[in-house]
Amino acid sequence: MNCRSEVLEVTVEARQVEEAMLALLHTILLHRSTGKFHYKKEGTYSIGTVGTQDIDCDFIDFSFVRVTSEELDRVIRKAVSEFKDALSNSGSDGVGQISLEFYQKKKSRWPFSDECIPWEVWSIKVNVVNLANEQERQICREKVGEKLGEKVINVVEVINRHEYLPKMPTQSEVDNVFDTSLKDVQPYLYKITYQITDSLGTSVSTTMRRLIKDTLAL
Amino acid sequence: MAHFDTEYQRLEASYSDSPPGEENLLMHVPEGSKSQWHHIENLDLFFQRVYNLHQKNGFTCMLLGEIFELVQLLFVVAFTVFLANCVDYDILFANKFVNHTDSSKVTLPDAILPMEVCSAHIRDNAFVIFVLIISGVFWLHRFVKLIYNVCCYWEIRSFYINALKMTMSELPYASWQEVQARIIEIQKEHQICIHKKELSELDIYHRILRFKNYMVAMVNKSLLPVRFSLPALGECVFYTRGLKYNFELIFFWGPGSLFENEWSLKPEYKRGGNRLELADRLASRILWIGVANLLLCPVILVWQILYAFFSYTEVIKREPGSLGARCWSLYGRCYLRHFNELDHELMSRLSKGYKAASKYMNCFLSPLLTVVAKNVAFFAGSLLAVLIALTIYDEDVLAVEHVLSSITLLGVCITVCRSFIPDKHMVFCPEQLLRVILAHIHYMPDHWQGNAHRYETRDQFSQLFQYKAVFILEELLSPVVTPIILIFCLRRKSLEIIDFFRNFTVEVVGVGDTCSFAQMDIRQHGHPAWMSAGKTEASIYQQAEDGKTELSLMHFAITNPHWQPPRETTHFISQLKERVHREAAGAPSDTHPLSLSESEPRSLVADLLTGPSTLAPVHFACDLSLTNNTAAGVNSGAAALRSLSPVSSSLNLRGSLSAAHRVGGLTGKTMTGSGTDARTVSSGSSAWEGQLTSLVLSEYASTEMSIHALYMHELHKQQARGEPSRHTWHRQESDESSDSIPDEVRSEPSARSRSFPRSHTFPAAAPSPSAIPSSASSSAAMDQEGAASQSSSGLRRHSGPVADHVGAGGKVVRTARVPMGGWAEDAKAASRHHDPLPEETSEDELPPHIHKVT
């Protein structure tokens, strides 16, 4: 695939899942968001400001920075809690993966629908462990905090690399690159998906699509 | 109002987070996505399409071609059904009379059955309906495919026009290298691949040829079950398109295949942990696919016939008589293909070798058949002559029943017989033909050389170069045989396949998972017997056979001169190039290990550069050089190449830049070497490379590659012989060793055999220098070349450590070389074309569209 993919792996306790995920997703989104664009007539634009705030975690010794946007937070929280529920309902060994995918839309002509072309995918693999007693929990609390700190630095390192980002769009194309639905902040178009268990087989539908595509290809 | 202005202003909107006083803010200018070509999702498919569109000469050509194919299919099916069901043949054959009132003539409409009868016929015949349904599905499939392709390729077309700035009308005349250079150029601007700032040629090739490289590697490592030893037929190769399709289905894209998508292998196959389980799963999948094949057999058969019909009607139209001729088999194409070699490159290479290959195969006419054919032709000819004479005398003879058909039949019979009667002026010298073939096909098992005259070699070569009729027959048999091969042969190999994909897949940034052989890294996959000794770290399992890594690397470097390989690889390439050029130039380098054999590659170089049409002067020169050697001991090849100098000057006059430079350069070097002339020294071996446009270069690249291929085979052979004395063969060491050989040894007559194929010993199996001359081979060749052998015996000056052992066998084979190219007709041709092209095949053997993919 023509896109970068980064994998982060964390091992946490069940009650820490939500906060850990929020911490990582918000960290990434912090770097992948801009202020709102205000387009001028001459084809220029100015960028609004983005507020940031520190969030302290309850179950982990950790605080992270996120964009001050209730709306964005709500969306992320919803996705994460869905993931958490799915993870706890799965009943298996508690392995899951949540991925945050940044994509671009490409307008296509009539017979095809608009293509969403990812350019960066962050996959966070989660391993849920069960702990026996309070002391272990305390150790885990610190450990996970340290680990998350490392991950955050990881993320920043990756983002600091001088790599492909979609070009800044003109007013008409801004919807193809940025998520403009939020009032106070404007992240790159993103999608959060999750997957429970380690089943890596491709789904039937993708296989069928490929089969058809390949038969049609010259 | 102005004086009321303060810094305080009303907020424009409650949600706007931009502070007041926006005029002081930084203003940005959006770059916008001016082109839609940045960041393409599926680059594999994209590059493949770009390549296809180039190969099909642009959008309009492709579209028209496809539409006409559809129409043809419709026509053929309809016409066949009509002929089978709607014609009253009794009327046509005049077995039944029509009652006409107005005239006694039978008209065509009389023979056509009325509509109702016709449709009743069709409805009654279940087979016809079956065929009709399948062809209907086939046609619909093609139709949907056409629509889909039009949509996809329209986008590619606009990519060519807007991004690459090439119009469709100039596309057929642009080489792929040019297109590729432009793609690399626009990557900097558009970033079609987001992983890297710049694309390299290799990246593009990797993406286009990802799966083909795997297939080539699997054939190279003999992983695919395509060779069988059958009780009656001996060893044979069965590899058809149906089988190939199934292999690809299983490995690359079918449901549950090893690959997740076009660019990545499924992660579980990359881990060694559960290989047994994965092998089991693969085996059961192969079983299911095999069973499905078996069940669908009749459908596939009809499909195959339709498909074959369409692939071949086109070929037959283009070159009638090609049905009887031979073609490179599918297996041959896989075996001969380099890693990272695009279809058009392979095809042009193989087409160049075609003529020599068919000549070679024609050498082996059975004498028994010849005798029979001669006599049959005699009797048939007499009958035919009488019939024709009678017809000329009175044409009413034609009206007698069956006279016309017997004339036709006799004519056909004579034509067939004639193909079994060898040309009177042909000379049997397979060894040279095989060298010429090798110059184009680049790969050949070691044991062929020196055994070219044997029937076994011919049989093995025919696996690569089969009769087209056999090819079609195999295709038709394929629906039945394929499931058997899948179920009984491929299934057993499932563990090896799993291991192969795990061991030989590397993830390349910006490309995805590719076959590691295709990286052409001599350190990882080099074969010590193929010049990468000391550089390679590969185990036997990792080594590519037949020097594939090394030859592919050279081929890729030569076809893509702008490609910047990794440092070590660059070193290898430049070293080899330098050696080849030095060798070709024939400078009397005593320190060179290959001075032992230098006359051989050099004369081959001469052969290649001049082509068969100038063989006569070369032969002459060779003989001359031989006498020179005895007399003065000067560089033998100098004379041979001197004979080329008129060629080079004439080319210079014609302005054919590179060839002239090349030939001139070589000649010049030789001449300085022998101290006679220093005319064209200025054109150094690498100097011309930079000056040339890519197009000119790509045309001469093939010649250069041929030289390299021959040279590498030559070296390999020597090395295989030197093996017992020194396991790993180092260049520097052998420099010294060859130096240390006393001159008496060098002037041994048997020496030249060193550069020449030994007898039937297999170098791999028995690399001992005890190449006992096979009396059979020597006598056979002796008979042919008796006189020539006398003139050339005892004339070579150099020798090697093991040369003494080889004796007569080598000598004989060596003498077979003297006519060079070997065919009397070639010598005749030389007088016709006095102004030869540097590339032997450029005029006659290449079809005008060498970039076509079939």
Side-chain angles (χ1 to χ4, degrees):
Chain A
M1 201 191 313
N2 200 3
C3 91
R4 291 189 294 269
S5 66
E6 309 289 341
V7 181
L8 305 170
E9 232 168 303
V10 285
T11 307
V12 291
E13 210 192 339
R15 55 185 184 147
Q16 295 170 330
V17 170
E18 190 164 5
E19 279 181 338
M21 292 303 103
L22 278 177
L24 291 175
L25 293 179
H26 267 306
T27 310
I28 298 165
L29 273 169
L30 171 71
H31 298 283
R32 290 278 180 243
S33 303
T34 64
K36 297 289 281 186
F37 284 5
H38 299 276
Y39 283 93
K40 303 283 167 202
K41 276 186 193 121
E42 316 86 69
T44 59
Y45 63 92
S46 62
I47 305 176
T49 52
V50 183
T52 55
Q53 73 189 113
D54 279 16
I55 303 292
D56 296 326
C57 301
D58 295 333
F59 302 106
I60 314 173
D61 273 352
F62 188 65
S63 0
F64 61 92
V65 185
R66 71 166 168 84
V67 174
T68 332
S69 163
E70 286 309 316
E71 279 176 282
L72 185 64
D73 187 46
R74 218 175 302 138
V75 177
I76 306 280
R77 255 177 215 286
K78 189 163 162 269
V80 168
S81 67
E82 267 174 38
F83 171 65
K84 191 193 74 180
D85 292 343
L87 200 59
S88 57
N89 291 338
S90 71
S92 60
D93 44 356
V95 178
Q97 175 178 319
I98 189 162
S99 31
L100 173 60
E101 178 182 303
F102 292 101
Y103 64 95
Q104 246 176 313
K105 271 195 236 166
K106 203 174 251 185
K107 290 263 184 288
S108 308
R109 277 182 324 282
W110 160 72
F112 307 106
S113 53
D114 281 3
E115 281 178 286
C116 296
I117 305 174
W119 50 272
E120 191 175 62
V121 178
W122 295 86
S123 318
I124 306 168
K125 288 188 177 159
V126 188
N127 233 329
V128 180
V129 288
N130 288 315
L131 297 175
N133 52 40
E134 191 56 37
Q135 197 191 346
E136 274 182 21
R137 281 197 189 113
Q138 279 306 322
I139 296 169
C140 179
R141 200 183 146 92
E142 282 170 32
K143 272 264 174 66
V144 171
E146 274 171 37
K147 273 271 172 310
L148 283 182
E150 277 172 32
K151 297 293 168 206
V152 168
I153 289 171
N154 244 348
V155 170
V156 174
E157 267 171 10
V158 169
I159 280 170
N160 268 340
R161 276 186 226 145
H162 201 71
E163 276 181 307
Y164 174 85
L165 284 178
K167 293 195 173 136
M168 288 305 149
T170 52
Q171 189 159 16
S172 57
E173 287 165 343
V174 71
D175 286 334
N176 293 345
V177 177
F178 288 105
D179 181 0
T180 47
S181 61
L182 306 176
K183 277 181 196 149
D184 40 9
V185 68
Q186 181 177 286
Y188 283 101
L189 282 174
Y190 66 92
K191 203 160 41 180
I192 299 176
T193 50
Y194 60 83
Q195 204 178 358
I196 306 299
T197 71
D198 206 15
S199 69
L200 288 149
T202 41
S203 65
V204 180
S205 69
T206 48
T207 319
M208 278 316 288
R209 209 182 318 140
R210 285 205 58 215
L211 201 66
I212 292 167
K213 259 195 177 173
D214 282 324
T215 355
L216 289 178
L218 270 182
Chain B
M1 284 287 275
H3 59 278
F4 285 121
D5 262 1
T6 62
E7 285 195 2
Y8 297 99
Q9 281 182 348
R10 195 175 66 85
L11 285 175
E12 276 168 23
S14 58
Y15 58 82
S16 167
D17 58 347
S18 55
E22 274 180 30
E23 59 275 10
N24 299 329
L25 285 177
L26 266 177
M27 287 309 213
H28 305 264
V29 181
E31 301 151 89
S33 36
K34 287 179 200 90
S35 79
Q36 44 175 328
W37 305 117
H38 61 97
H39 178 216
I40 285 150
E41 190 188 15
N42 191 340
L43 268 181
D44 280 43
L45 214 55
F46 185 76
F47 284 149
Q48 273 165 24
R49 284 180 182 152
V50 168
Y51 178 69
N52 277 338
L53 196 65
H54 173 257
Q55 291 305 305
K56 305 221 166 195
N57 301 321
F59 188 76
T60 329
C61 288
M62 201 186 91
L63 186 66
L64 273 182
E66 296 227 337
I67 290 177
F68 279 128
E69 256 180 47
L70 276 182
V71 175
Q72 267 185 1
L73 178 66
L74 218 55
F75 172 77
V76 166
V77 172
F79 194 57
T80 319
V81 171
F82 171 80
L83 281 186
N85 294 293
C86 302
V87 176
D88 193 344
Y89 288 97
D90 281 343
I91 292 177
L92 270 191
F93 300 146
N95 295 340
K96 195 167 83 180
F97 290 100
V98 235
N99 294 326
H100 274 296
T101 46
D102 45 346
S103 101
S104 59
K105 291 242 182 217
V106 180
T107 54
L108 270 185
D110 291 335
I112 296 169
L113 293 174
M115 200 62 177
E116 308 86 62
V117 187
C118 208
S119 49
H121 262 279
I122 293 172
R123 250 177 279 132
D124 292 344
N125 196 336
F127 179 70
V128 173
I129 292 185
F130 175 70
V131 171
L132 273 182
I133 289 174
I134 292 191
S135 17
V137 173
F138 185 73
W139 193 85
L140 265 183
H141 165 248
R142 298 280 293 241
F143 182 72
V144 174
K145 200 165 141 174
L146 172 73
I147 302 286
Y148 178 79
N149 277 325
V150 167
C151 297
C152 294
Y153 281 91
W154 185 259
E155 200 184 349
I156 304 296
R157 178 182 172 273
S158 51
F159 174 73
Y160 266 107
I161 293 173
N162 301 326
L164 296 185
K165 308 263 183 285
M166 290 174 108
T167 58
M168 284 295 115
S169 54
E170 66 182 281
L171 193 57
Y173 311 107
S175 73
W176 169 249
Q177 255 62 27
E178 268 177 285
V179 175
Q180 191 174 264
R182 291 199 191 197
I183 294 177
I184 291 169
E185 196 56 43
I186 64 147
Q187 157 73 6
K188 292 172 191 153
E189 184 189 337
H190 296 276
Q191 273 218 314
I192 43 182
C193 171
I194 65 159
H195 290 92
K196 293 176 159 186
K197 279 268 176 296
E198 286 180 31
L199 277 175
S200 77
E201 285 89 349
L202 193 58
D203 292 341
I204 298 179
Y205 271 70
H206 271 331
R207 282 187 183 272
I208 297 177
L209 295 169
R210 193 188 302 271
F211 296 146
K212 290 205 171 118
N213 281 332
Y214 271 109
M215 292 303 270
V216 171
M218 280 195 275
V219 168
N220 185 258
K221 297 299 287 180
S222 321
L223 187 65
L224 293 181
V226 289
R227 290 178 161 276
F228 307 94
S229 46
L230 296 177
L233 297 166
E235 200 195 38
C236 65
V237 166
F238 187 88
Y239 189 48
T240 58
R241 276 187 303 199
L243 196 57
K244 188 175 155 208
Y245 182 86
N246 273 294
F247 285 156
E248 282 166 356
L249 181 88
I250 289 166
F251 299 140
F252 302 127
W253 56 269
S257 66
L258 274 59
F259 273 76
E260 197 172 12
N261 42 38
E262 270 101 340
W263 47 83
S264 62
L265 193 64
K266 283 181 188 158
E268 64 258 39
Y269 289 96
K270 291 181 186 170
R271 291 191 290 264
N274 44 356
R275 54 195 274 269
L276 293 174
E277 186 201 323
L278 289 173
D280 275 351
R281 225 196 293 167
L282 182 67
S284 69
R285 263 192 63 234
I286 292 171
L287 178 67
W288 283 118
I289 289 181
V291 169
N293 260 293
L294 206 57
L295 292 179
L296 292 175
C297 187
V299 179
I300 297 173
L301 192 67
V302 175
W303 193 282
Q304 197 93 52
I305 291 170
L306 283 173
Y307 198 88
F309 187 85
F310 276 92
S311 324
Y312 295 115
T313 40
E314 200 216 3
V315 176
I316 293 166
K317 259 183 292 165
R318 216 164 354 126
E319 30 179 326
S322 61
L323 254 188
R326 292 169 174 272
C327 64
W328 296 98
S329 69
L330 213 56
Y331 170 74
R333 280 173 206 201
C334 247
Y335 174 79
L336 299 174
R337 193 174 196 146
H338 292 292
F339 294 121
N340 299 314
E341 184 174 33
L342 288 171
D343 290 341
H344 74 274
E345 292 165 357
L346 177 73
M347 285 322 293
S348 70
R349 190 156 72 85
L350 292 185
S351 324
K352 281 180 193 168
Y354 186 89
K355 210 171 197 175
S358 42
K359 264 186 198 165
Y360 175 74
M361 294 308 274
N362 288 338
C363 287
F364 293 88
L365 288 172
S366 138
L368 186 72
L369 264 181
T370 309
V371 172
V372 174
K374 268 184 185 161
N375 284 293
V376 171
F378 170 73
F379 291 115
S382 352
L383 283 178
L384 185 65
V386 170
L387 282 179
I388 289 174
L390 284 177
T391 315
I392 291 170
Y393 181 70
D394 187 346
E395 61 180 344
D396 279 342
V397 177
L398 279 183
V400 179
E401 203 179 10
H402 295 314
V403 165
L404 197 59
S405 34
S406 31
I407 288 181
T408 322
L409 276 182
L410 287 172
V412 170
C413 175
I414 290 172
T415 321
V416 171
C417 286
R418 194 168 293 157
S419 68
F420 289 107
I421 304 171
D423 190 343
K424 234 186 244 173
H425 306 292
M426 273 201 201
V427 185
F428 182 76
C429 34
E431 198 67 48
Q432 291 154 50
L433 274 174
L434 210 59
R435 305 283 300 180
V436 177
I437 296 169
L438 176 63
H440 294 298
I441 66 174
H442 301 171
Y443 293 102
M444 179 173 290
D446 293 335
H447 58 271
W448 285 8
Q449 293 188 353
N451 292 315
H453 56 283
R454 303 186 133 236
Y455 222 82
E456 291 88 342
T457 311
R458 181 223 171 253
D459 282 347
Q460 286 176 0
F461 187 65
S462 74
Q463 292 170 353
L464 305 181
F465 192 64
Q466 59 188 174
Y467 277 116
K468 206 157 216 163
V470 175
F471 176 68
I472 294 173
L473 193 71
E474 278 184 1
E475 285 294 330
L476 293 181
L477 273 181
S478 151
V480 185
V481 182
T482 301
I484 298 172
I485 293 179
L486 289 181
I487 295 174
F488 295 107
C489 304
L490 187 67
R491 207 150 60 92
R492 262 181 292 157
K493 297 224 173 192
S494 59
L495 186 61
E496 284 171 63
I497 291 167
I498 295 285
D499 286 343
F500 178 89
F501 275 95
R502 191 184 60 249
N503 290 324
F504 297 123
T505 296
V506 284
E507 202 177 329
V508 182
V509 178
V511 180
D513 291 336
T514 52
C515 183
S516 64
F517 284 107
Q519 293 293 110
M520 304 183 295
D521 186 353
I522 42 171
R523 201 163 52 88
Q524 275 177 15
H525 295 295
H527 197 296
W530 285 89
M531 305 197 56
S532 46
K535 301 188 185 85
T536 173
E537 293 165 9
S539 65
I540 290 175
Y541 178 57
Q542 290 169 327
Q543 289 163 3
E545 307 301 323
D546 302 319
K548 199 126 203 164
T549 317
E550 291 81 1
L551 280 163
S552 300
L553 178 64
M554 281 321 290
H555 177 262
F556 192 78
I558 288 171
T559 42
N560 296 285
H562 298 293
W563 176 56
Q564 279 162 349
R567 202 164 49 85
E568 239 173 278
T569 316
T570 321
H571 182 63
F572 176 82
I573 294 170
S574 58
Q575 198 180 9
L576 182 63
K577 270 193 180 174
E578 187 201 331
R579 284 169 72 181
V580 171
H581 281 298
R582 196 161 34 156
E583 197 72 13
S589 50
D590 285 337
T591 52
H592 202 277
L594 292 167
S595 57
L596 301 169
S597 69
E598 75 191 344
S599 69
E600 167 58 8
R602 187 171 341 108
S603 46
L604 276 161
V605 167
D607 181 21
L608 277 162
L609 291 175
T610 51
S613 43
T614 51
L615 284 173
V618 175
H619 306 160
F620 177 66
C622 275
D623 290 346
L624 217 150
S625 73
L626 296 172
T627 33
N628 273 356
N629 267 350
T630 34
V634 294
N635 196 334
S636 68
L641 280 167
R642 200 175 306 140
S643 71
L644 294 176
S645 57
V647 179
S648 74
S649 52
S650 70
L651 281 168
N652 261 324
L653 289 174
R654 287 168 58 223
S656 179
L657 172 75
S658 91
H661 272 215
R662 175 201 296 278
V663 179
L666 298 180
T667 326
K669 278 188 172 181
T670 321
M671 296 194 162
T672 39
S674 54
T676 48
D677 191 1
R679 195 160 43 96
T680 36
V681 202
S682 58
S683 50
S685 54
S686 60
W688 52 272
E689 224 166 68
Q691 310 160 353
L692 297 173
T693 64
S694 65
L695 187 70
V696 179
L697 192 70
S698 71
E699 250 169 61
Y700 291 100
S702 64
T703 316
E704 195 181 356
M705 184 56 209
S706 302
I707 299 171
H708 280 82
L710 283 178
Y711 181 81
M712 287 169 84
H713 273 272
E714 198 58 41
L715 259 183
H716 168 66
K717 197 167 52 188
Q718 287 177 13
Q719 195 176 341
R721 303 186 135 206
E723 211 130 82
S725 55
R726 194 166 37 231
H727 184 65
T728 47
W729 185 85
H730 294 291
R731 198 173 60 89
Q732 287 79 10
E733 281 172 25
S734 62
D735 278 357
E736 288 141 35
S737 67
S738 71
D739 258 352
S740 63
I741 296 163
D743 278 345
E744 309 87 87
V745 185
R746 289 191 167 214
S747 53
E748 280 273 331
S750 56
R752 99 184 73 82
S753 60
R754 202 171 136 66
S755 65
F756 251 85
R758 65 232 147 249
S759 40
H760 53 274
T761 48
F762 279 53
S768 78
S770 60
I772 305 143
S774 79
S775 56
S777 72
S778 47
S779 63
M782 277 286 199
D783 292 343
Q784 305 281 335
E785 302 289 339
S789 69
Q790 288 170 8
S791 71
S792 64
S793 60
L795 301 181
R796 291 292 143 137
R797 68 188 166 91
H798 23 253
S799 165
V802 288
D804 303 37
H805 303 276
V806 187
K811 178 168 77 187
V812 169
V813 189
R814 162 72 190 83
T815 54
R817 189 180 67 85
V818 175
M820 190 56 80
W823 302 97
E825 48 187 89
D826 283 341
K828 276 189 284 171
S831 54
R832 284 204 304 272
H833 314 268
H834 193 63
D835 190 14
L837 286 169
E839 241 178 325
E840 56 166 304
T841 50
S842 50
E843 351 125 82
D844 44 4
E845 295 190 18
L846 273 184
H849 290 277
I850 54 164
H851 292 297
K852 273 281 192 290
V853 191
T854 51

